[in-house]
Amino acid sequence: MGAPGRGAASEGRGTVLARAVTDGDDRLLSAEEPLAGLQSRAGGEVPGVVMVPELLEIVRQVRQRRLPLGRAIWAQDGAEMITAWVEVEPRTDAEGCSVVLRSWRAVATAAEDAHAALERRNRLDRQVAELTARLDADQRILTVESECAELDLLTSAMATGRGRIVTEFIAAGGHDPARPLHWRLLDDARIKVEGSPREWRVVVIPQGRPGYEPSSFELLLVSDEPPGGLPHPEHGAGGAEGLGSQHLVGQDLAPVLRRPIARIVANAETIRTRLAGPLPDAYADYAAEIANAGRLLLGLLEDLADMEVVESEGFSTAPDNIDLAEVARQAAGILNVRAREKGIEIDAPSAAESLPAVAEFRRVLQVLINLIGNAIRYSPENSRIWIRLDSAGDCARVTVADQGPGLSDSDQGLIFEKFERLGRSGDGGSGLGLYISRRLARAMGGELSVESAKGQGARFVLEVPAGSHD
Amino acid sequence: MTENPARTMDEPVEDVLRAELARGDAAAETVLPILRHLVTNADGTIFSEEILARVRSMLEHLVRQVLDVAAGAGEGGQREHEPGALDALEQAFVNNPALLSHLHALALEWQLTERLEGRLALDPVSPPLLQELLASSAPETQGLAMKFLASQARWCQAQRRMELPLRELPMELLHLAFLACRTLDLTEAYDGQTAAAEAVRSRFEEGGSRNGLAGRLIARMGADGVQALSICHAGVALFLTALAQRSGQTREAATLCLNDVQAARLALALRAAGVEAAGIEQQFFVLHPDIALPQGLDRVRPERAATILASGRGSPP
């Protein structure tokens, strides 16, 4: 088998639990579990900036100094404390790093009592508040302070309205604004503020002796969304993709669903691995099924969000001079662990090979991961998958060939359709991968096609415009 | 080893190494005295991790603000700065005892503010005395109280974020800060510093800072100012200002004397400020419930207390 992706030389012996790749802006381009799960539970995305603080620090240092580094990291993951050992080294092909996860240990953290939790919430809210105000015992405004330009209108209105009741300025739906609302009802209310596209959360912290009526209040406005102007890693570069409201799944649904589903998967994994205590085998198996179902949902969610993007009007990619051989080696490296679980060998291009092309690295990687993932899923155990490169005139081609059951002519016509599963079920596919991959290939000025015969394995061919050797 | 790229570029390596060595030696010499202090000082409040972290963070914030202004970004603007310039200016600030003790006092004040909020439900922003002043029938007092409340709210928010806005520095410290920046002659990027610094200084109004407003408010209260010498009534900020004003100490010294090992200084300061023995006992009950006061404090007259305090070190004048 060929070189299994980047960093093969120094990976040496020892266990590799997962790999991840980052780019020149410390964004996680790809990550295997459990790193991917940790990233999403930390509020991040793949691709997206590394959200685990200690990992981000290491990745940044390695990228800047271009020296490899091995280090233990600690991270809080919901109710668990994660201790992990990672080895990070600079990529030779591009800016950024490749990350290898060597060990992973999760320990349940002690539950926090309600008072401490409230204290912590208050601390966090004060830290991130973009408007702070003081109210007297009757909720009249004493002072207001904000440096957020989006809140300028509200801030100046409140400043001139000093001495008036705060609900005149901060409307909590369906309430007479001239009368104070009980502070507990105002606390945690979601509001819209004129001049700001974001949703805001009202935080009211009472002051005074416990058991007595509060003597004054602290009022904060906090938003869970970052201030405007930050490009979304997925949608930023394309520009034309920013047709916001059309992306129901990607922008509205996925961010809301991702976290709870990830939680389900993580908890099910905890049960399955018996981290929380001994358990009969049958229950551990159920937990494994729950975790798998959750992963399927997560995968489907990502695919739906991707589909939305590639289907949107004005979708375009950002072509660059890339080396198809390098993309193929990375894709193979990322999926190597999964392949080995089934005893499958991936025969990737050797380190000496190169094939210049003009395409977007990330998108080609996405297509290849999809093709190789499919090949692993549908190939028999102990088989082989080949990744071959060739050029034909102004085309550069990557072929992914497997020893699976193959496809009949009629199936070949159907397989690139949306939600086409060819009658399969229960294998973790969403029926969107190939559809998205073909859209991506075409958006890059190329094509994705299949050659196969029933019982002869399948050969998927990705074509993109050729680049020049220089 | 040095992490100062600005210096390594234009100095021969030997000089850099020699300078680093000298710095290392100086640091090594201070190890024992510091260790001795930490080991024998059971009450670690004034050198606790929290206090050190807060002082460091405020220092860094000040350094950035001064460099922002010097680079012409104006107040509130944020720029990237050479790590060399940041380090050099921070070092200059650390070497300035007045600035360092000011920041230390602020960190201690905030720590006490937070503790009393947790322990006695004492509102950090609008304690009972301030609420009375806000309801005052004298419009000037009321206006001043309102201004102080706003600046105290801003200060609390900044302290929670471990920051200190430039405009909160006393005039002479602000001056020192810009002076340090000029003396260091920090690269061409900071050419416009003099003009920019002048602009900030000319807009500066010491009476408008939190400490300035507190001082004006206490002064305006006149004889009633003694009310502010009850920490539960006045809150930490006004208490400290009143204690400093009425006992003839700096606000920094007044803050330090709230520390456990400074009990005698606190008793004398309160007495010098005109508080009766019963009142002093009450303050001790709030701040140091475990410390018993010596009998006969009443017999030490306020003027005498002030003299002892001023003579320092407890030796008879």
Side-chain angles (χ1 to χ4, degrees):
Chain A
M1 138 184 161
R6 291 244 42 79
S10 59
E11 267 177 28
R13 281 184 298 274
T15 333
V16 174
L17 294 182
R19 289 187 186 80
V21 179
T22 63
D23 70 3
D25 297 319
D26 300 324
R27 282 191 302 223
L28 209 51
L29 294 182
S30 63
E32 296 170 353
E33 290 297 343
L35 284 175
L38 184 62
Q39 165 84 354
S40 82
R41 287 188 297 281
E45 294 181 6
V46 182
V49 174
V50 177
M51 281 305 245
V52 182
E54 295 201 359
L55 185 57
L56 177 61
E57 186 54 40
I58 299 175
V59 163
R60 184 174 290 154
Q61 280 177 9
V62 170
R63 174 175 57 77
Q64 284 167 353
R65 304 205 171 197
R66 301 206 63 77
L67 290 171
L69 196 62
R71 199 173 271 185
I73 58 168
W74 285 267
Q76 175 94 21
D77 183 2
E80 287 170 1
M81 195 69 203
I82 307 290
T83 316
W85 179 265
V86 292
E87 287 169 11
V88 181
E89 61 175 39
R91 282 159 61 182
T92 47
D93 56 318
E95 264 210 278
C97 312
S98 55
V99 179
V100 173
L101 176 70
R102 295 280 187 185
S103 82
W104 178 272
R105 211 164 69 90
V107 179
T109 45
E112 213 175 15
D113 70 87
H115 181 75
L118 183 69
E119 269 300 292
R120 196 166 55 88
R121 199 202 76 163
N122 286 348
R123 271 174 200 275
L124 272 177
D125 285 341
R126 280 170 176 148
Q127 205 65 33
V128 297
E130 290 177 65
L131 178 142
T132 56
R134 291 293 296 202
L135 314 177
D136 69 8
D138 301 321
Q139 297 182 24
R140 292 174 199 283
I141 298 168
L142 290 172
T143 69
V144 60
E145 196 74 26
S146 170
E147 281 167 10
C148 172
E150 287 173 36
L151 299 176
D152 273 352
L153 275 175
L154 178 66
T155 312
S156 55
M158 284 174 74
T160 41
R162 191 176 280 173
R164 284 166 51 194
I165 289 172
V166 72
T167 40
E168 290 182 44
F169 305 92
I170 289 174
H175 171 78
D176 174 9
R179 290 182 43 209
L181 189 64
H182 191 278
W183 67 269
R184 283 186 201 278
L185 296 178
L186 190 56
D187 186 31
D188 218 26
R190 310 286 155 147
I191 60 161
K192 278 284 183 188
V193 173
E194 198 189 337
S196 167
R198 292 187 276 164
E199 190 190 55
W200 296 87
R201 180 162 57 87
V202 183
V203 178
V204 183
I205 305 172
Q207 288 286 346
R209 218 175 262 252
Y212 292 79
E213 285 293 305
S215 60
S216 65
F217 299 92
E218 222 176 317
L219 178 127
L220 314 171
L221 284 194
V222 178
S223 181
D224 292 334
E225 301 157 54
L230 284 182
H232 190 284
E234 182 72 19
H235 309 282
E241 292 169 30
L243 301 163
S245 55
Q246 295 177 2
H247 296 172
L248 172 73
V249 180
Q251 291 193 343
D252 299 334
L253 226 47
V256 185
L257 286 178
R258 211 173 272 138
R259 217 180 273 231
I261 300 178
R263 232 21 258 145
I264 293 173
V265 175
N267 285 333
E269 275 297 323
T270 310
I271 301 173
R272 183 185 70 81
T273 51
R274 297 178 170 86
L275 279 175
L279 202 69
D281 284 349
Y283 288 99
D285 291 345
Y286 296 150
E289 279 176 32
I290 295 172
N292 283 335
R295 282 201 194 94
L296 178 67
L297 278 177
L298 273 182
L300 182 62
L301 203 57
E302 299 303 333
D303 284 352
L304 283 171
D306 268 344
M307 179 184 81
E308 229 173 30
V309 171
V310 299
E311 280 186 343
S312 66
E313 268 178 66
F315 167 71
S316 65
T317 60
D320 201 354
N321 285 313
I322 62 168
D323 178 5
L324 274 188
E326 182 51 42
V327 193
R329 282 191 290 268
Q330 283 213 9
I334 288 168
L335 291 172
N336 218 3
V337 175
R338 207 197 298 173
R340 271 200 307 241
E341 282 172 7
K342 277 183 83 172
I344 295 174
E345 257 193 70
I346 301 179
D347 189 351
S350 73
E353 281 182 74
S354 91
L355 179 59
V358 177
E360 188 176 342
F361 190 94
R362 188 164 64 95
R363 296 301 192 185
V364 175
L365 186 67
Q366 188 180 352
V367 172
L368 287 183
I369 286 177
N370 178 246
L371 295 180
I372 301 169
N374 279 345
I376 295 172
R377 193 174 291 146
Y378 302 119
S379 289
E381 291 193 2
N382 304 315
S383 62
R384 241 176 133 78
I385 294 167
W386 293 269
I387 307 174
R388 291 283 174 263
L389 306 167
D390 59 305
S391 59
D394 46 9
C395 263
R397 275 203 301 239
V398 198
T399 305
V400 177
D402 64 45
Q403 295 178 308
L407 297 159
S408 68
D409 284 352
S410 59
D411 283 349
Q412 289 173 37
L414 290 174
I415 198 157
F416 293 104
E417 298 291 315
K418 222 192 269 195
F419 296 113
E420 183 52 57
R421 309 285 334 280
L422 299 177
R424 297 184 182 108
S425 64
D427 53 18
S430 67
L432 281 171
L434 286 172
Y435 168 77
I436 293 168
S437 295
R438 177 175 263 182
R439 296 286 293 234
L440 287 174
R442 289 180 177 171
M444 292 186 286
E447 181 59 277
L448 178 63
S449 52
V450 62
E451 302 160 4
S452 175
K454 204 78 186 158
Q456 307 263 312
R459 293 161 47 84
F460 284 87
V461 183
L462 170 67
E463 284 183 343
V464 289
S468 54
H469 280 282
D470 48 59
Chain B
M1 201 68 271
T2 180
E3 290 190 353
N4 188 336
R7 268 195 315 184
T8 46
M9 267 186 285
D10 29 294
E11 277 177 61
V13 65
E14 268 187 39
D15 289 354
V16 175
L17 286 171
R18 209 167 279 133
E20 284 296 321
L21 193 63
R23 231 170 74 169
D25 287 346
E29 277 166 26
T30 55
V31 166
L32 272 184
I34 294 173
L35 185 64
R36 192 179 304 131
H37 176 89
L38 290 178
V39 169
T40 50
N41 193 356
D43 172 61
T45 324
I46 57 169
F47 292 125
S48 68
E49 291 278 333
E50 181 194 342
I51 294 296
L52 295 184
R54 289 188 173 282
V55 171
R56 257 184 226 126
S57 177
M58 280 189 276
L59 256 178
E60 199 186 303
H61 187 222
L62 284 179
V63 166
R64 284 188 184 278
Q65 292 176 86
V66 168
L67 288 181
D68 281 345
V69 170
E75 270 179 296
Q78 280 193 348
R79 293 206 172 190
E80 291 284 317
H81 297 289
E82 288 275 320
L86 288 171
D87 287 351
L89 195 55
E90 191 168 321
Q91 198 55 46
F93 283 7
V94 170
N95 288 336
N96 181 329
L99 181 61
L100 201 58
S101 58
H102 181 68
L103 298 184
H104 187 222
L106 289 181
L108 286 171
E109 178 185 347
W110 173 247
Q111 191 185 45
L112 184 65
T113 307
E114 265 198 320
R115 282 186 185 175
L116 293 188
E117 183 189 6
R119 212 165 65 198
L120 307 173
L122 182 61
D123 188 338
V125 174
S126 58
L129 175 64
L130 193 60
Q131 292 189 19
E132 283 170 20
L133 293 174
L134 283 171
S136 160
S137 53
E140 271 190 56
T141 306
Q142 195 201 19
L144 209 50
M146 183 58 95
K147 275 190 192 158
F148 172 72
L149 177 112
S151 74
Q152 174 73 6
R154 269 197 304 271
W155 183 79
C156 289
Q157 184 66 4
Q159 282 296 311
R160 286 191 178 110
R161 292 174 174 169
M162 299 168 80
E163 295 178 344
L164 184 66
L166 215 44
R167 60 173 180 272
E168 287 294 331
L169 276 187
M171 185 57 151
E172 70 277 11
L173 291 182
L174 187 75
H175 179 72
L176 279 173
F178 282 116
L179 199 65
C181 191
R182 193 179 313 164
T183 314
L184 283 170
D185 203 15
L186 296 165
T187 70
E188 289 163 24
Y190 302 105
D191 242 7
Q193 56 176 289
T194 329
E198 282 313 323
V200 170
R201 279 215 296 265
S202 64
R203 265 185 285 119
F204 184 79
E205 184 207 347
E206 187 162 8
S209 71
R210 182 189 73 115
N211 285 2
L213 287 166
R216 280 162 65 190
L217 200 54
I218 295 296
R220 168 160 278 280
M221 288 174 74
D224 287 345
V226 77
Q227 288 179 35
L229 289 170
S230 160
I231 201 164
C232 291
H233 185 60
V236 180
L238 290 178
F239 174 84
L240 286 176
T241 299
L243 185 64
Q245 251 183 36
R246 299 178 70 95
S247 70
Q249 302 183 91
T250 62
R251 204 169 180 280
E252 287 81 11
T255 312
L256 262 184
C257 78
L258 293 192
N259 183 249
D260 272 359
V261 292
Q262 302 284 355
R265 181 170 282 274
L266 176 61
L268 281 170
L270 284 166
R271 190 74 193 109
V275 183
E276 303 295 326
I280 297 177
E281 204 171 343
Q282 227 171 33
Q283 296 317 304
F284 267 75
F285 193 60
V286 172
L287 291 165
H288 311 297
D290 47 339
I291 296 179
L293 282 173
Q295 294 294 312
L297 259 182
D298 270 333
R299 289 200 298 275
V300 184
R301 300 184 47 77
E303 305 80 57
R304 182 68 189 143
T307 317
I308 302 175
L309 206 56
S311 68
R313 314 232 170 248
S315 55

